[in-house]
Amino acid sequence: MRFVRWGIVLGFLCALFACAPSIAPTRWEALPEGQRAVMFGTITADISAGAINRYMLRYRNFDTGETAALNVEPLDDSGDDDLRERGRVVGRFFEVTLPPGRYEFYDVSFLAMGLFGASREWSARTPFSLPFTIQAGRTHYLGDVRAYPARAGGYFTFTDREARARELLAKRRAAAKAPPPPADIVNIVPDPDKAGTPFLRRGG
């Protein structure tokens, strides 16, 4: 694999202050009814063979050019109790409000922190695209996105665990006294093989 190596202030700050599992434009939260949709799933990290500080999977809206990301920090965040497997997996559930349209996963970022605040960050040198579509007014299940460490950085897998994710969505909404999830959830778990990159792979 070939990587671009970075040491940037943004990555340093994100490692110091735990980032949310989903990072998106603030305007998405204020979208009016009829111009919004929901995407949910889990972002987890395998820690059985070690881990780095942050794994980030970036996506963007083809039509507006807006960018967002899914993020997991296994060394700085113990994650959700419902997703933790002691010594094996940590991660968080996410629910994102976003505008309908055509999207693509297009880049990855892996951050490793060293001694005395030094950092190294890798991203993909070769462009890739894994498209997906969001429909207005619908709720979409993206999958369990799991990060794994590699010799220099890492990679992500996509696995369909919709039944478990539906239960988590219902539980989170009940705790927030929000409306329950709809019955007609749209499954948009992508086939990572279509991206043609070693950074995105099928899960087991």
Side-chain angles (χ1 to χ4, degrees), residues 9-192:
V9 173
L10 177 61
F12 176 69
L13 293 176
C14 198
L16 287 179
F17 305 101
C19 290
S22 172
I23 304 168
T26 54
R27 83 167 187 96
W28 289 6
E29 285 295 330
L31 289 168
E33 291 295 333
Q35 298 179 30
R36 61 191 295 167
V38 171
M39 181 175 73
F40 74 98
T42 53
I43 175 78
T44 58
D46 186 294
I47 59 172
S48 61
I52 59 175
N53 294 82
R54 188 193 70 201
Y55 304 88
M56 185 175 287
L57 178 58
R58 304 180 191 277
Y59 62 99
R60 62 188 165 201
N61 185 305
F62 274 117
D63 304 311
T64 68
E66 292 171 301
T67 61
L70 299 176
N71 175 79
V72 61
E73 298 184 351
L75 301 183
D76 306 306
D77 182 4
S78 59
D80 290 345
D81 291 341
D82 291 318
L83 298 173
R84 188 182 307 112
E85 299 176 28
R86 187 179 181 87
R88 295 188 62 246
V89 177
V90 296
R92 289 195 175 274
F93 175 87
F94 64 86
E95 181 179 359
V96 186
T97 299
L98 71 174
R102 299 175 303 127
Y103 289 80
E104 68 171 348
F105 291 106
Y106 70 96
D107 199 4
V108 294
S109 174
F110 308 108
L111 176 70
M113 297 295 297
L115 296 175
F116 310 113
S119 66
R120 297 171 67 190
E121 185 170 1
W122 299 267
S123 59
R125 173 169 289 181
T126 303
F128 65 83
S129 175
L130 181 61
F132 61 97
T133 300
I134 298 295
Q135 304 174 42
R138 304 295 299 275
T139 298
H140 307 74
Y141 171 62
L142 182 67
D144 176 45
V145 184
R146 182 159 298 182
Y148 291 83
R151 184 169 63 179
Y155 63 92
F156 295 91
T157 64
F158 286 84
T159 306
D160 190 340
R161 294 190 173 96
E162 184 178 342
R164 182 184 68 166
R166 279 176 175 262
E167 292 177 358
L168 292 175
L169 178 60
K171 181 178 178 179
R172 299 299 188 277
R173 290 198 174 182
K177 298 185 176 170
D184 58 339
I185 287 173
V186 183
N187 187 309
I188 58 167
V189 180
D191 178 359

